[in-house]
Amino acid sequence: PREQVLLENVESLSLRFLTGQDSWHNQWPPQSLPGSEDTPSLPAAVEVTLELEGFGELRWLFAVPHPEGAPGV
């Protein structure tokens, strides 16, 4: 595959996923959800954290829309 640099001086990038029960997980789907046997198909939100050399930490929080009747949060 062909590689393309999109952003330089990236020290770290991390993602976290929020369930409808207000618990954060570092992967989706989470390995287990407390009190639930069913894993939602989508998280309630996704947090993206990017740390850039010489600039510091940037953080974005994205709400995930869910169609009516869709399984999930």
Side-chain angles (χ1 to χ4, degrees):
R2 184 173 171 227
E3 291 186 17
Q4 176 68 44
V5 176
L6 299 177
L7 184 61
E8 295 181 344
N9 302 319
V10 175
E11 293 184 351
S12 68
L13 170 71
S14 64
L15 301 172
R16 290 195 317 158
F17 305 91
L18 182 65
T19 68
Q21 292 82 29
D22 294 331
S23 90
W24 287 98
H25 297 271
N26 292 325
Q27 66 183 32
W28 196 265
Q31 290 183 351
S32 65
L33 288 173
S36 173
E37 293 181 14
D38 298 322
T39 299
S41 60
L42 295 172
V46 177
E47 178 187 72
V48 178
T49 304
L50 181 65
E51 189 170 348
L52 300 174
E53 180 182 324
F55 193 81
E57 185 178 277
L58 302 169
R59 188 173 299 195
W60 296 272
L61 183 60
F62 300 96
V64 177
H66 293 249
E68 280 190 41
V73 304

